[in-house]
Amino acid sequence: MQEQLLTVLGNVIEELNERRDEKIPTENLLDVSFYGDAAVFDSMHLVNFLVLVEEGLEDEFDVEISLTSEKAVSRRVSPFSSGRRLIAFIEEEIALARGEEQNAGGALVGQGA
């Protein structure tokens, strides 16, 4: 899944780079700091980036998650401090979303039987 997530992040970065004077490096996205000290985004650009990532995740994985939730911003170590942490956070959120969907689907199937 990490490779798919790197592809989603890379596609979003490439889209943003088309409109930016200062390009975001795409060679090693795991080490890119998206927010915080020496980061590539300020808070407004981070939100725009995360919305595009959410859209990419929905297209790629058919799952809706929020990367700007209270859960994300209240962590002691920000999931936006590196690509590696962001991918780990996304993997957690996808697993939770899929678990909730499976439970809901299972309840519906059980009621119809």
Side-chain angles (χ1 to χ4, degrees), residues 1-50:
M1 180 184 290
Q2 183 177 9
E3 286 302 315
Q4 288 174 289
L5 293 174
L6 277 171
T7 299
V8 170
L9 293 180
N11 290 341
V12 170
I13 296 290
E14 287 176 13
E15 181 181 333
L16 293 174
N17 276 345
E18 291 176 9
R19 300 185 299 255
R20 289 175 59 107
D21 292 330
E22 188 176 329
K23 306 299 183 204
I24 299 167
T26 57
E27 297 80 41
N28 192 1
L29 287 177
L30 292 176
D31 293 327
V32 171
S33 176
F34 296 112
Y35 189 70
D37 296 335
V40 295
F41 297 124
D42 62 20
S43 59
M44 290 301 294
H45 289 110
L46 176 67
V47 170
N48 182 50
F49 167 71
L50 293 174

Side-chain angles (χ1 to χ4, degrees), residues 52-95:
L52 292 172
V53 171
E54 290 170 357
E55 290 171 0
L57 294 171
E58 188 171 352
D59 292 343
E60 180 72 23
F61 296 97
D62 194 32
V63 64
E64 289 185 41
I65 62 171
S66 174
L67 299 176
T68 57
S69 65
E70 180 66 30
K71 180 179 177 182
V73 297
S74 65
R75 289 192 168 198
R76 191 172 67 81
V77 177
S78 172
F80 316 124
S81 61
S82 73
R84 183 173 283 104
R85 287 193 175 108
L86 179 56
I87 285 174
F89 180 69
I90 292 170
E91 287 174 332
E92 290 173 24
E93 293 301 298
I94 288 174

Side-chain angles (χ1 to χ4, degrees), residues 63 91-107:
V63 64
E91 287 174 332
E92 290 173 24
E93 293 301 298
I94 288 174
L96 286 173
R98 286 181 172 168
E100 292 170 7
E101 289 172 6
Q102 289 171 353
N103 288 341

